[in-house]
Amino acid sequence: GPFAEIDSLFSYNQLTYTHANANAYTGPLFYYLQTRTGCGVKYSAASATLQPMLVNVTNPGNNTIANITWNTISNPALPTTNANYNVFRKYPATGWSLIGSTPSTSYIDTNNICIDSAFYKVEIGDASGCNSVSGIDGNLFVDQTVPAAPDLRCISVNTNGSVSFTWIAPIDTGLDYNSYHIFTSNNA
């Protein structure tokens, strides 16, 4: 608190509301509802207090892992809130994919992104059928993984004096390999 009344709704059947000027990404917000009688000024007890979820994505260390954290919508959790949060990633920019589910307020995504941005959001359902959806956060990810070395196996001198050699390709996840680079020296 303190709480300030931001609007009044006069249709009993209106069961949703959008706080258009909330600016939710600037800091925590909390909401509750009350009803009021039509005869006089008598208010109900306050509903549960809820807070929108905000996601925070950090990209520590070697930039290959996304640490995703978020706040709960209420503490303690509502008895009707589902047990698990669903974590979604938007990469590439074409759409959202469910990447995991967890009962905690954190998730580690060991993403395989070469050099690109990825964005995350979290959802949690309720027995009433509604879903609470977090804000979106993201980061630029750069895979700093050093590729495995090829296994140089055979080398031959051709009759014209050129040299040919063969190797076995390293095991690759598909993101670490970009090219082979061949070096020579007159003195090893």
Side-chain angles (χ1 to χ4, degrees), residues 2-78:
F3 285 87
E5 184 175 339
I6 59 171
D7 208 346
S8 298
L9 308 175
F10 296 97
S11 172
Y12 179 78
N13 293 321
Q14 182 175 346
L15 302 177
T16 65
Y17 179 80
T18 299
H19 183 190
N21 298 321
N23 204 6
Y25 287 105
T26 61
L29 293 170
F30 298 88
Y31 295 89
Y32 73 85
L33 300 172
Q34 287 181 296
T35 54
R36 191 182 93 178
T37 63
C39 305
V41 183
K42 300 279 185 193
Y43 286 92
S44 69
S47 68
T49 300
L50 298 184
Q51 175 183 17
M53 290 182 293
L54 291 178
V55 169
N56 183 39
V57 176
T58 56
N59 190 355
N62 63 5
N63 296 332
T64 60
I65 297 177
N67 288 336
I68 307 144
T69 59
W70 58 92
N71 58 282
T72 61
I73 63 168
S74 67
N75 190 5
L78 298 175

Side-chain angles (χ1 to χ4, degrees), residues 1-186:
F3 285 87
E5 184 175 339
I6 59 171
D7 208 346
S8 298
L9 308 175
F10 296 97
S11 172
Y12 179 78
N13 293 321
Q14 182 175 346
L15 302 177
T16 65
Y17 179 80
T18 299
H19 183 190
N21 298 321
N23 204 6
Y25 287 105
T26 61
L29 293 170
F30 298 88
Y31 295 89
Y32 73 85
L33 300 172
Q34 287 181 296
T35 54
R36 191 182 93 178
T37 63
C39 305
V41 183
K42 300 279 185 193
Y43 286 92
S44 69
S47 68
T49 300
L50 298 184
Q51 175 183 17
M53 290 182 293
L54 291 178
V55 169
N56 183 39
V57 176
T58 56
N59 190 355
N62 63 5
N63 296 332
T64 60
I65 297 177
N67 288 336
I68 307 144
T69 59
W70 58 92
N71 58 282
T72 61
I73 63 168
S74 67
N75 190 5
L78 298 175
T80 56
T81 300
N82 293 353
N84 287 326
Y85 296 91
N86 290 323
V87 181
F88 294 85
R89 178 176 61 201
K90 188 174 187 180
Y91 171 80
T94 56
W96 291 100
S97 298
L98 176 65
I99 59 168
S101 184
T102 179
S104 84
T105 56
S106 64
Y107 187 84
I108 296 175
D109 180 19
T110 55
N111 61 63
N112 289 321
I113 296 175
C114 187
I115 302 173
D116 208 347
S117 293
F119 298 90
Y120 297 87
K121 70 178 180 177
V122 174
E123 295 183 10
I124 192 162
D126 184 84
S128 68
C130 69
N131 280 326
S132 295
V133 181
S134 73
I136 297 167
D137 193 23
N139 215 323
L140 175 67
F141 295 89
V142 179
D143 186 354
Q144 301 288 338
T145 305
V146 176
D151 189 1
L152 193 56
R153 290 295 181 100
C154 299
I155 190 164
S156 301
V157 176
N158 300 315
T159 56
N160 65 359
S162 63
V163 175
S164 298
F165 42 93
T166 60
W167 60 90
I168 296 173
I171 296 173
D172 184 60
T173 63
L175 291 177
D176 297 330
Y177 172 79
N178 175 270
S179 55
Y180 292 108
H181 294 259
I182 301 164
F183 300 88
T184 186
S185 173
N186 290 334

